[in-house]
Amino acid sequence: MRIRAFLLLLAATLLPAAPPPLSAPSALLLEPTTRTVLFEKQADLPHPAASLTKLVTAYLVLQAMEHGLLREDLPLPVPSALARIPFPPDASLAGLTPGTTLTPAQLLSLTLVYSANDAACALALLLAPDIPTFARRMNTLVQSLGYSHLSFEEPSGLSPHNTITAREIALFAADYLDRFPSAPARYHSPRAVTIGGRTYLNRNTLLGRYPGLEGLKTGYLEESGFHIVAYARRGPTSLIAVLLGIQAPSYWEGMQERDHQAAALLDYGFDTYLTTEAPLTGIRPVRIWGGTQPFLTPRPARPLRVTLARTDIPRLSVEVEQVSERWAPLHPGERLGTVRLLLDDTVLAESSLIAPQHVPRAPFFPFLADLLSWLWHHLLAILGYAS
């Protein structure tokens, strides 16, 4: 019995964990830095976006701040057109009134932390003359990024005609994190924000309860069920877990089930997979003839980073092909070889090896000395004396 128990324990340790059972109709688990899909369930099924819409609104707002169209710390009056938007009585609202002055950063915090629909619409009206015009900009943005299954008709998520899929909203979230890496700490992960003497709690109830969670957004409509885009980091591995359409008898039970399933999917990802970067072993210095320095060590043009099952890590290897010598001048980015990351015989990632800096041609006499040395070295090689 003890031997059987030991074998069962050993098998459980060595075999990859099974994905958790999920009641969510659609789900996807993504490692955003490598764009590796680790799990999916009906990931291309369309759903009403609910408040996940606000991620696209936030992208346009942060882009406007980046381009100087909005100053995040400059107080602006809430647009008067906000008063003409018929928000449902049960909508999540910050209680904004036209003429009240708030900074774009405060409005964005209300949009992403408290999921305030009036704040999302106020931001849209700061950037566009009306809501339909802003919605067209939202659609232009997602189409320019290559997403054909994301479609929006307003910025808050209240419309059931805003449409997403688990796959495309996960990939969009990865694009968002690439473009605005400081956004999670600033606008998504605060547990609460206080504005105008009122404290607004974060609607993402998984924050503070799941280790490494940094946001990003939750959503709910009666037509959509409960949604979440959960972003977490542990060590070198980042994960985005998307669950769409969770149903529950009550709002409170829906939030609990949403959090439970998101945590289970993230646990599966962190327990089973690891993001690793190729060690830069085997890359040799290149002899630079006729230059101001005799050697230069090339570097990969981009990091060789992959996400794979932890059980596969010992089978990784690095393959390097590079030149051994080059004449100056050498320019930054000049190609000097190739480095590959392999799993057994399969290439997982590949990058050029490039010169990290400029190496100018040496003055006349040092150049002449190198030329004579090069001729002597190659003469010995032809005669078979060089090693």
Side-chain angles (χ1 to χ4, degrees):
M1 288 295 291
R2 288 182 179 177
I3 293 176
R4 182 172 179 274
F6 172 76
L7 291 175
L8 288 172
L9 179 62
L10 182 63
T13 303
L14 296 178
L15 293 176
L22 302 173
S23 70
S26 297
L28 188 129
L29 183 65
L30 178 77
E31 207 292 331
T33 64
T34 61
R35 298 298 199 274
T36 306
V37 175
L38 306 175
F39 171 84
E40 62 179 277
K41 175 187 176 183
Q42 296 193 99
D44 299 310
L45 187 68
H47 290 264
S51 280
L52 301 191
T53 298
K54 293 181 175 77
L55 290 175
V56 182
T57 301
Y59 191 112
L60 287 171
V61 171
L62 290 168
Q63 187 179 64
M65 291 179 180
E66 196 176 68
H67 293 163
L69 300 176
L70 281 179
R71 272 185 49 190
E72 62 177 342
D73 57 348
L74 177 66
L76 296 170
V78 172
S80 59
L82 188 68
R84 297 191 290 273
I85 298 177
F87 294 107
D90 58 347
S92 174
L93 300 172
L96 302 180
T97 55
T100 304
T101 57
L102 291 170
T103 66
Q106 289 174 319
L107 288 171
L108 193 55
S109 292
L110 290 171
T111 298
L112 296 174
V113 171
Y114 189 63
S115 202
N117 296 297
D118 51 352
C121 291
L123 284 167
L125 292 169
L126 289 175
L127 291 174
D130 52 47
I131 295 300
T133 301
F134 187 81
R136 286 195 292 273
R137 293 180 187 176
M138 296 173 73
N139 290 321
T140 298
L141 170 67
V142 295
Q143 289 162 14
S144 71
L145 294 172
Y147 301 117
S148 58
H149 297 95
L150 301 181
S151 178
F152 305 96
E153 67 172 28
E154 55 82 40
S156 70
L158 283 172
S159 171
H161 301 296
N162 293 341
T163 305
I164 59 172
T165 66
R167 186 184 312 282
E168 291 203 350
I169 199 63
L171 290 167
F172 177 84
D175 289 340
Y176 176 86
L177 291 166
D178 277 352
R179 181 70 183 273
F180 309 109
S182 63
R186 179 79 188 273
Y187 295 111
H188 294 269
S189 61
R191 303 288 300 282
V193 292
T194 300
I195 296 172
R198 178 180 169 185
T199 297
Y200 301 85
L201 298 179
N202 200 313
R203 300 279 184 175
N204 188 347
T205 50
L206 201 57
L207 281 165
R209 296 169 46 218
Y210 189 84
L213 192 81
E214 298 185 14
L216 279 174
K217 194 71 191 73
T218 61
Y220 170 78
L221 280 179
E222 187 175 343
E223 296 89 344
S224 70
F226 292 84
H227 296 343
I228 188 168
V229 175
Y231 169 60
R233 290 192 296 170
R234 290 185 189 173
T237 306
S238 303
L239 294 176
I240 293 173
V242 174
L243 297 104
L244 304 180
I246 295 171
Q247 300 295 325
S250 69
Y251 187 80
W252 176 248
E253 290 171 286
M255 289 195 303
Q256 288 184 310
E257 191 59 30
R258 177 196 69 199
D259 291 355
H260 170 72
Q261 293 188 36
L265 190 55
L266 289 170
D267 280 344
Y268 163 73
F270 285 122
D271 291 345
T272 308
Y273 296 95
L274 183 70
T275 300
T276 186
E277 196 166 308
L280 302 183
T281 55
I283 299 177
R284 305 178 308 279
V286 174
R287 177 66 165 98
I288 309 299
W289 296 103
T292 54
Q293 65 186 69
F295 293 96
L296 184 74
T297 302
R299 63 169 177 81
R302 61 180 183 84
L304 286 187
R305 188 181 294 120
V306 294
T307 303
L308 68 168
R310 292 175 179 271
T311 52
D312 290 335
I313 297 291
R315 294 159 50 205
L316 282 175
S317 62
V318 177
E319 179 181 88
V320 176
E321 295 176 2
Q322 67 173 93
V323 300
S324 59
E325 59 182 9
R326 184 63 64 87
W327 277 92
L330 204 62
H331 303 288
E334 192 168 328
R335 191 173 182 278
L336 299 173
T338 303
V339 58
R340 301 180 184 92
L341 187 59
L342 295 89
L343 181 65
D344 298 330
D345 296 325
T346 302
V347 177
L348 300 181
E350 181 176 304
S351 174
S352 296
L353 288 173
I354 60 171
Q357 66 193 63
H358 177 57
V359 180
R361 181 169 290 174
F364 176 75
F365 287 110
F367 180 87
L368 180 61
D370 251 10
L371 176 60
L372 294 174
S373 179
W374 180 86
L375 289 171
W376 179 251
H377 176 83
H378 282 270
L379 177 63
L380 292 177
I382 291 169
L383 297 175
Y385 290 108
S387 57

